[in-house]
Amino acid sequence: MKIAVLGGTGLIGSQVVKILQAEGHEAVPLSPSNGADLLTGEGLDTGLKGTDVVLNLTNSPTFDEASTDFFRTTMANLLTAAQRADVGHAVILSIVGVDQVPDLAYYRAKVLQEEILKAGPVPYSIVRATQFFEFVDAILSWTTDGDTVRLPSTPVQPMASADVAKAVADVAVGAPLQGTRNVAGPEVFTLDEWGRAALAAKGDKRPVVVDPAAGMFGAVPGDVLIAPEGAVLAETTYRDWLTR
């Protein structure tokens, strides 16, 4: 199959391209650097010519209200070009529980992205994943207060980006789901527990204090970031990932 991967040079996209190519598919990363600009639509007709499947793994450069315009514009451009190119399957990557966190602007924007895809003219699949192990340092930096890290006790079920990429690749080569597949890691932590484990793994002795209002995850209610029933669970544990 010929599979176009927008965002194909990013953390997930680059791994997806490698997986698909190893499986014998023609996986082509598309980005402004090779003439395909999802924000302007320039180069998409050429990039999608002869494509069977298109993956949109791009992400908004900000997590604020501006992310809404990013996803609205990029999805409109993608679906218009995909329809013209007679692409048979469009896939996006989203977030487990994203539709249950209306207080976060970025999550609202991702819900809009899903809704545009569902209402569009191209058969589709949505892969919702939990937080990536690779993002824990960024989460800690957002909530560091001097020599103390403040984190809410929000339950999370993080996973390795390599497992996310494999899940996306598997969906890409299958029939359109016309729905959503949830994927998650094998273990559940509270966010403060995960933070302590991440710091300990680096020999960082800063204390983690539970603060229900700290960071963007302070706005997440209950256990909405935990895999729902029927989710596909990856095998890589956090300890496995740390010792890889």
Side-chain angles (χ1 to χ4, degrees):
M1 300 172 71
K2 183 178 180 182
I3 303 173
V5 185
L6 289 145
T9 59
L11 174 63
I12 302 299
S14 60
Q15 295 180 83
V16 170
V17 168
K18 289 179 181 177
I19 291 168
L20 292 172
Q21 289 177 343
E23 292 176 351
H25 301 286
E26 183 185 353
V28 182
L30 299 180
S31 69
S33 65
N34 59 16
D37 192 326
L38 200 52
L39 265 175
T40 66
E42 184 177 358
L44 292 182
D45 287 339
T46 300
L48 296 183
K49 186 176 181 180
T51 294
D52 300 297
V53 183
V54 61
L55 309 183
N56 183 6
L57 304 179
T58 62
N59 200 7
S60 169
T62 68
F63 293 91
D64 55 18
E65 294 290 350
S67 59
T68 298
D69 286 337
F70 174 87
F71 287 118
R72 181 185 291 115
T73 300
T74 54
M75 286 303 296
N77 288 338
L78 174 66
L79 293 175
T80 297
Q83 184 179 30
R84 281 198 296 258
D86 198 26
V87 175
H89 188 187
V91 181
I92 65 169
L93 177 61
S94 192
I95 307 165
V96 165
V98 68
D99 54 341
Q100 300 178 59
V101 193
D103 291 341
L104 286 180
Y106 178 72
Y107 277 46
R108 292 196 301 271
K110 289 294 290 184
V111 170
L112 175 64
Q113 183 190 32
E114 292 187 2
E115 291 174 344
I116 292 171
L117 181 65
K118 291 175 183 178
V122 182
Y124 74 90
S125 298
I126 298 169
V127 179
R128 284 185 176 181
T130 54
Q131 289 66 44
F132 309 162
F133 293 150
E134 286 82 354
F135 286 171
V136 69
D137 287 343
I139 294 171
L140 295 174
S141 70
W142 295 338
T143 59
T144 295
D145 180 11
D147 292 329
T148 301
V149 178
R150 298 184 177 277
L151 291 172
S153 56
T154 307
V156 292
Q157 196 168 348
M159 63 188 300
S161 67
D163 291 335
V164 178
K166 183 63 169 63
V168 170
D170 287 347
V171 167
V173 299
L177 298 175
Q178 292 299 114
T180 301
R181 178 172 297 172
N182 290 282
V183 296
E187 303 166 301
V188 175
F189 308 92
T190 61
L191 191 57
D192 60 299
E193 288 173 339
W194 187 22
R196 290 189 189 95
L199 291 173
K202 298 189 297 182
D204 189 329
K205 298 185 183 302
R206 284 180 295 164
V208 174
V209 174
V210 175
D211 182 345
M216 65 182 295
F217 292 106
V220 177
D223 59 357
V224 301
L225 302 182
I226 302 303
E229 185 176 352
V232 177
L233 299 186
E235 294 183 359
T236 308
T237 67
Y238 187 52
R239 182 178 295 276
D240 290 341
W241 180 80
L242 286 171
T243 57
R244 71 198 187 288

